[in-house]
Amino acid sequence: METLANLESFVRSAESGSFSAAARRLGLTPAAVSRNVAQLERNLGVRLFARSTRGLALSEAGERFRRSVAGGLDSIQEAIADIKVNAGQPAGVLKLSAAPGFGMDFLLPLMPAFLEKYPGVTPDWVFDSRPLDLIAGGFDAAIGAGFELPPGMVARELARIHLIAVAAPALMQGKRAPADPSELAGWPNIVMRSPMTGRVRTQVMRTQAGEEVTAKQQAVMLVSDPDALSRAVMLGLGVGLIPVPHAAPHLASGALVRLLPDWYGDVGAVSLYFTSQKLLPAKTRAFVDFVVDAFRAQRLPDALSTM
C-alpha cells in the first residue's frame, strides 16, 4: 500500500509541473517531494514523469495513474480537513497576498482583533500588486481587484472601488476647474497603466443620476501603481483619476482637492480569493469569515466608493 505522502507528492507535482511548486504547497522541501515521487515510481515499477531542465511532464502511464488517484486523494484530504476543522481552533501559518497600499490601510488594521480571536494563526503577508499564481505560490488567500480566477479558486466580493478626479491645490490655483470629464483633456494628466496587462484603460465616469461621459486624458506621465499615482498628483505634475481609498487620506489632509465632485468611475470589485475546496482549512475559513464580517460591520465598502 502506497503512503499518502508519496501519492500527494505525485499528484501535486503533476498539477503544478514542478517539484518546487508542489513542495511550497505541501510545506516540504523540493528534495523531499522528489524522493517521495521516486519511491512511488520504484514501488510501481513505472516511470511517472519525464524529467528535463525545462520541468516535469507526465508519461503516458503517469497520466493514467493521475486520473485514477487524484479524485480519491482529494476525498481523503477533505475527510482529514473535516476532522481538523471540527477538532480544534484554527492554527498554523496563513499565507496571504494583497496590494501594498490597500493591504496596509485596510487589512493590517484588522489584524489585532483577528489575532486576539485566533492566537494560534500566524499571518504571513506578501504585499505585491502583481498578479500571482496563488496555488503554485502556496497562498491560502489573496485580496485584490481584477484577478482572473484560475481553476480551483473562488472569490467573495468585499466592496466596489470607485475612481475620482483629484489635483494638487497649487495646480488649480487661479484656474477654472473642469466642468465634466471630457474637459480633463485640457489639463496635464498622470495616467494609470494596468500592472497586469500594461494597457491604459479608458475611463467612463458617471453621476448618480446615470449620466456617463468618457474621461479624456492627455498623459504627461504614466505609472503602474496607485500610490505612485497619488504622489505624482500631489507633486502638482497633473490631474489624476485615483481610487477612493488612495485619495481619501490626502483629501482629508488638504494635499489634494477633488475635481468633478458629482462624477466617479467604477473600476470593479475588490474581492477575497481562496481555494474552492469543499472543506477549507480552519485557519483560512476563519480569516475569510473575519474579513467579510469586519468589512460589513465597519462599513468599509462605503469608504471605498464615492464620498
Side-chain angles (χ1 to χ4, degrees):
M1 179 69 69
E2 285 303 328
T3 67
L4 182 62
N6 290 354
L7 292 172
E8 189 171 29
S9 292
F10 163 69
V11 170
R12 301 314 172 206
S13 297
E15 290 174 345
S16 61
S18 164
F19 288 148
S20 296
R24 289 192 296 271
R25 185 172 177 183
L26 297 172
L28 301 173
T29 65
V33 172
S34 179
R35 284 196 300 271
N36 289 345
V37 172
Q39 183 178 8
L40 177 62
E41 289 177 321
R42 286 194 299 271
N43 293 346
L44 295 176
V46 296
R47 177 72 70 176
L48 299 173
F49 287 110
R51 297 159 173 82
S52 72
T53 56
R54 290 175 295 178
L56 298 175
L58 283 168
S59 66
E60 183 178 348
E63 178 58 33
R64 290 200 308 271
F65 189 62
R66 184 197 64 79
R67 289 197 299 265
S68 298
V69 302
L73 179 62
D74 288 340
S75 296
I76 292 171
Q77 290 179 320
E78 287 178 5
I80 293 172
D82 186 33
I83 291 295
K84 291 182 177 179
V85 166
N86 294 303
Q89 284 293 308
V93 175
L94 181 69
K95 191 172 181 182
L96 306 165
S97 172
F102 184 85
M104 294 178 193
D105 289 341
F106 292 93
L107 298 171
L108 281 185
L110 302 180
M111 289 301 96
F114 177 78
L115 292 174
E116 182 178 1
K117 187 172 183 180
Y118 302 108
V121 178
T122 303
D124 179 359
W125 283 101
V126 174
F127 293 106
D128 196 331
S129 298
R130 296 172 299 176
L132 299 170
D133 186 332
L134 302 182
I135 294 177
F139 288 91
D140 296 291
I143 299 91
F147 287 7
E148 290 188 9
L149 278 182
M153 301 296 294
V154 295
R156 288 187 67 175
E157 182 175 317
L158 297 175
R160 305 292 300 183
I161 299 290
H162 287 174
L163 289 176
I164 56 176
V166 296
L171 182 68
M172 302 304 300
Q173 191 170 4
K175 300 183 180 72
R176 183 183 68 84
D180 68 55
S182 67
E183 293 190 7
L184 292 176
W187 294 78
N189 283 255
I190 313 300
V191 177
M192 180 78 175
R193 185 191 298 279
S194 169
M196 290 179 282
T197 66
R199 295 193 296 268
V200 173
R201 177 180 177 182
T202 299
Q203 296 293 343
V204 175
M205 302 188 75
R206 55 180 58 88
T207 66
Q208 295 292 346
E211 185 179 1
E212 293 188 351
V213 173
T214 298
K216 298 180 179 179
Q217 296 180 279
Q218 299 296 325
V220 296
M221 180 183 293
L222 296 101
V223 297
S224 62
D225 179 84
D227 290 315
L229 176 61
S230 299
R231 290 177 181 270
V233 173
M234 285 190 288
L235 288 171
L237 297 176
V239 173
L241 298 180
I242 298 180
V244 168
H246 295 274
H250 306 303
L251 291 169
S253 71
L256 293 175
V257 294
R258 184 173 179 182
L259 310 178
L260 306 172
D262 296 328
W263 297 85
Y264 68 93
D266 188 344
V267 295
V270 58
S271 299
L272 209 167
Y273 301 83
F274 53 95
T275 179
S276 62
Q277 66 191 59
K278 294 179 182 178
L279 296 171
L280 282 175
K283 60 183 180 181
T284 308
R285 173 57 62 193
F287 178 77
V288 170
D289 291 343
F290 185 89
V291 170
V292 170
D293 290 344
F295 264 65
R296 185 184 302 115
Q298 298 182 25
R299 301 181 63 84
L300 290 178
D302 295 338
L304 300 173
S305 59
T306 51
M307 299 179 296

